């Protein structure tokens, strides 16, 4: 029996393939996160749903004990040793790559960064960096979102200019605009009888705080983080998954001050805060990816549609967020599409439990 038959993994040379194998095992088991947690508890083991969700949506190797518990909960006791051996092999390779980097001094501020790269797979030797658009071009192995978090106050020998720039970014990210005061444009529109998204929120169509976005084409699912099914893009993107798999991530619609637009903001206790951006080029074109620099992420128009709490999400380019095909399947990606009247472009907004 070869390795693939033992573990379900097509190969072992990289972490993304390993994690994809774990997600495949979960899907083949037909069990929800809650059911996996309960199966583990029946054997006297701990498998919290929040931890399991982070493992399946992340980009890091899981701890050995977590991995073993998960494999057993999926009903593959006989595969535990093979999975652990594969994990140890990958972990050893990562350590051999990372140790020299940890011992090396930080590059000079004005020196070139030979590892900088644009959109695409995460390189083997991660170097925290940001590109000119405010996206993190690399993620450390402790950061599953490739572009979600920029390095902040992490460089021990930071210069004054870097500290100042970082403080500016932190100030932008930590700002909670809320609904904000009515602008002159708002007042003019309201006095003329025009409807704004702020009015929609005041009427209760856009809840404050943590929300769930349900595609009407698959109302049992929620828009949350995940991976592209065909592997063409390796960062986290917006997909539809069972709602009980969304925690610990939280989603909010945050109105941009002085605007009718909203940011779709994700919060994660481990990975931080990011806002969705429609990618306009490369293998991820049209996908929605979380960016650390929320001020450079997408500014969506939240347009009320027939039905309580039902909206369309229009992009800055005049397109609409919708679900790709098959629109009812788990892990289908959200993409920017030509606007239609289809249910796959309608989302029901409700407060998160």
């Amino acid at each position: 029996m070869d390795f693939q038959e033992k573990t379900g993994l097509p190969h072992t040379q990289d972490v993304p393939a390993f994690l994809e194998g774990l997600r495949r095992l979960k899907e083949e088991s037909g069990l929800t996160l809650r059911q996996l947690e309960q199966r583990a508890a029946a054997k006297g083991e701990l498998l919290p749903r929040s931890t399991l969700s982070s493992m399946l949506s992340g980009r890091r190797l899981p701890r050995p004990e977590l991995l073993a518990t998960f494999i057993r909960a999926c009903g593959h006791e006989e595969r535990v040793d093979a999975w652990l051996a594969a994990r140890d092999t990958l972990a050893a390779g990562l350590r051999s790559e990372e140790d020299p980097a940890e011992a090396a001094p930080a590059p000079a501020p004005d020196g070139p960064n030979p590892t900088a790269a644009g959109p695409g797979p995460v390189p083997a030797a991660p170097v925290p960096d940001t590109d000119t658009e405010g996206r993190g071009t690399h993620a450390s192995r402790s950061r599953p979102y490739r572009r979600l978090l920029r390095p902040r106050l992490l460089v021990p020998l930071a210069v004054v200019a870097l500290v100042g720039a970082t403080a500016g970014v932190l100030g932008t990210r930590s700002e909670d605009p809320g609904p904000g005061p009515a602008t002159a444009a708002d007042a003019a529109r309201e006095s003329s009888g025009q409807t704004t998204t702020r009015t929609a929120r005041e009427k209760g169509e856009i809840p404050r705080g943590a929300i769930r976005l349900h595609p009407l084409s698959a109302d049992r699912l929620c828009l949350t983080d995940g991976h592209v099914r065909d592997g063409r893009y390796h960062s986290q993107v917006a997909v539809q998954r069972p709602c009980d798999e969304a925690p610990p991530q939280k989603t909010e619609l945050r109105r941009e001050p002085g605007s009718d637009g909203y940011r779709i903001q994700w919060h994660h206790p481990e990975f931080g805060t990011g806002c969705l951006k429609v990618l306009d080029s490369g293998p991820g074109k049209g996908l929605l990816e979380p960016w650390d620099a929320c001020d450079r992420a997408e500014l969506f128009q939240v347009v009320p549609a027939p039905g309580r709490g039902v909206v369309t999400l229009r992009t800055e380019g005049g397109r609409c967020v919708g679900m790709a095909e098959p629109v009812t399947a788990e892990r289908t990606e959200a993409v920017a599409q030509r606007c239609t009247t289809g249910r796959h472009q309608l989302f029901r907004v409700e407060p998160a439990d």
Side-chain angles (χ1 to χ4, degrees):
M1 180 179 294
D2 61 19
F3 181 82
Q4 183 174 358
E5 292 175 312
K6 290 180 180 178
T7 65
L9 276 173
H11 48 70
T12 60
Q13 68 263 32
D14 58 35
V15 175
F18 185 91
L19 296 174
E20 180 58 33
L22 293 180
R23 290 189 284 270
R24 186 184 304 118
L25 279 185
K26 190 268 180 188
E27 291 177 359
E28 291 174 352
S29 74
L31 301 172
T32 65
L33 297 180
R34 184 185 299 275
Q35 289 170 330
L36 287 169
E37 181 182 40
Q38 292 171 344
R39 290 188 67 165
K43 298 179 181 181
E45 298 180 302
L46 292 176
L47 191 62
R49 279 173 289 162
S50 59
T51 302
L52 183 54
S53 176
S54 295
M55 179 188 79
L56 293 174
S57 63
R59 295 186 59 83
R60 292 181 296 171
L61 287 172
R63 301 187 309 273
E65 62 274 16
L66 174 61
L67 174 63
T69 301
F70 170 71
I71 300 299
R72 284 192 288 267
C74 287
H76 297 291
E77 180 78 34
E78 75 284 357
R79 296 183 178 181
V80 171
D81 290 343
W83 276 94
L84 289 175
R87 181 210 174 275
D88 290 345
T89 299
L90 290 171
L94 296 181
R95 284 194 296 271
S96 66
E97 293 174 359
E98 291 178 342
D99 286 346
E102 292 174 356
D110 58 351
N113 183 354
T115 60
V122 178
V127 179
D129 199 1
T130 56
D131 64 16
T132 58
E133 296 185 357
R135 300 177 291 183
T137 54
H138 303 285
S140 72
R141 298 191 186 277
S142 63
R143 302 293 191 188
Y145 290 163
R146 186 167 70 92
R147 288 180 174 145
L148 182 57
L149 292 178
R150 288 189 281 178
R152 302 172 312 205
L153 305 180
L154 298 180
V155 182
L157 299 179
V159 294
V160 173
L162 179 59
V163 172
T166 303
V169 172
L170 286 173
T172 300
R173 292 176 52 127
S174 61
E175 182 181 9
D176 180 3
T183 63
D186 289 335
R189 277 188 293 269
E190 291 172 1
S191 63
S192 63
Q194 297 181 30
T195 301
T196 68
T197 51
R198 185 173 194 269
T199 304
R201 164 161 276 176
E202 289 176 342
K203 291 181 178 179
E205 294 171 352
I206 303 178
R208 300 181 186 277
I211 62 166
R212 286 179 173 174
L213 286 171
H214 298 272
L216 290 196
S217 53
D219 198 45
R220 64 186 178 84
L221 304 178
C222 287
L223 197 67
T224 185
D225 59 337
H227 294 275
V228 178
R229 292 163 296 169
D230 60 13
R232 71 183 184 278
Y233 195 67
H234 296 278
S235 290
Q236 293 276 4
V237 296
V239 305
Q240 60 183 17
R241 292 196 286 135
C243 296
D244 68 348
E245 294 183 10
Q249 182 203 284
K250 295 182 179 180
T251 300
E252 290 189 50
L253 280 171
R254 292 292 187 95
R255 188 182 178 211
E256 184 73 5
S259 162
D260 287 336
Y262 285 79
R263 310 285 186 188
I264 300 179
Q265 193 170 85
W266 285 357
H267 304 272
H268 195 287
E270 183 178 359
F271 311 144
T273 298
C275 295
L276 295 185
K277 169 71 176 177
V278 176
L279 301 179
D280 57 11
S281 62
K285 184 176 180 178
L287 298 171
L288 278 64
E289 181 183 45
W291 280 20
D292 172 51
C294 283
D295 59 330
R296 298 184 183 181
E298 202 75 19
L299 194 59
F300 295 92
Q301 293 295 318
V302 181
V303 182
R308 181 169 178 79
V310 178
V311 301
T312 60
L313 302 171
R314 292 185 180 269
T315 71
E316 295 177 55
R319 300 174 75 81
C320 289
V321 176
M323 305 313 301
E325 294 287 349
V327 297
T328 60
E330 293 183 17
R331 302 189 183 280
T332 293
E333 304 86 3
V335 293
Q337 307 170 327
R338 180 179 60 84
C339 294
T340 69
T341 57
R343 291 173 63 83
H344 65 291
Q345 291 184 359
L346 297 174
F347 295 86
R348 180 166 55 84
V349 186
E350 67 176 18
D353 294 336

